Amino acid sequence: MPKIVGIAGSLRKASFNGWLLRAAKELAPAGTEIDVASISGIPLYDADVESGSGIPDAVTALKERIKAADGLLIVTPEYNHSIPGVVKNAIDWLSRPPKDIPSVFGDKPVAIVGATPGAGGTRLSQAAWLPILRTLGTRPWFGKQLYVASAGQAFDAEGKLVDEKVKKLLSDLLAGFTAFVSS
Ligand code: FNR
């Protein structure tokens, strides 16, 4: 049974991207498990902390969950046409020490989606992820794209994905990514 670990790049409780990840868990094809992980609890990267007390527990735990998964689904917000600092910070910690990069990220299938109340659907943020995925040696999947714009209309007040068009796009994307992960 393929297992995909999902990370939403936002800390807020009512995050559109957190809601999109939750919807992905519900819409995953039968037999595919989406493990909803979180970047909360990861401190700001500080090389003095790393050399003094090592890798924080929250980082080690997330590294293990990524290692254990067949694929990684990144659900990214967009800040100032790029990647929010909190999620870049998490990735930077996850890439430490460099000797662990191949076992955590090497050849790992990765798909990216994102949601924003704005009109651009996180296109620029998703593009900004590409050099990161490359340098970590991942195996990005570009079979389908999902840019959720006007996210306030796509979800109801409880955070349930209600836009049928987005649901179909997300289901199709997850089916394609699952096939890629399993190949
Ligand atoms: C934003 N937002 C935003 N949206 C967008 O589509 N393009 C952008 O460049 C930006 N820039 C930006 C900068 C900063 C500092 C903030 C705080 C916000 C809006 C952003 O998409 C919105 O806050 C989302 O709700 C963030 O995602 P979550 O937390 O809902 O998952």
Side-chain angles (χ1 to χ4, degrees):
M1 167 157 134
K3 184 171 176 179
I4 293 167
V5 63
I7 299 174
S10 173
L11 295 175
R12 71 189 191 100
K13 288 190 189 75
S15 157
F16 291 121
N17 289 280
W19 289 347
L20 189 60
L21 176 53
R22 202 170 66 191
K25 185 175 175 65
E26 284 165 17
L27 294 170
T32 296
E33 182 195 343
I34 297 204
D35 172 27
V36 174
S38 167
I39 57 170
S40 78
I42 296 181
L44 283 177
Y45 179 74
D46 181 339
D48 292 340
V49 170
E50 185 182 4
S51 56
S53 44
I55 307 296
D57 290 347
V59 176
T60 302
L62 189 49
K63 280 168 72 172
E64 291 304 319
R65 278 167 84 168
I66 297 171
K67 261 193 224 179
D70 304 299
L72 170 63
L73 176 67
I74 294 171
V75 188
T76 187
E78 177 174 295
Y79 280 6
N80 293 307
H81 290 180
S82 189
I83 299 160
V86 285
V87 68
K88 179 62 163 57
N89 176 70
I91 289 286
D92 293 342
W93 261 124
L94 291 166
S95 69
R96 305 297 298 174
K99 71 173 174 54
D100 287 358
I101 292 174
S103 63
V104 178
F105 292 107
D107 216 29
K108 178 76 66 183
V110 181
I112 307 184
V113 298
T116 170
T122 72
R123 279 176 176 74
L124 292 166
S125 176
Q126 291 192 38
W129 272 97
L130 301 180
I132 298 167
L133 300 183
R134 178 180 176 168
T135 195
L136 295 176
T138 68
R139 186 154 56 101
W141 178 73
F142 299 127
K144 292 196 184 295
Q145 302 173 19
L146 179 60
Y147 305 109
V148 181
S150 306
Q153 276 101 68
F155 297 90
D156 69 12
E158 278 74 50
K160 191 171 156 49
L161 183 60
V162 289
D163 184 315
E164 292 300 327
K165 210 173 143 195
V166 174
K167 279 167 85 166
K168 169 86 168 70
L169 289 169
L170 181 56
S171 297
D172 290 352
L173 183 144
L174 292 167
F177 186 50
T178 294
F180 181 72
V181 159
S182 311
S183 65

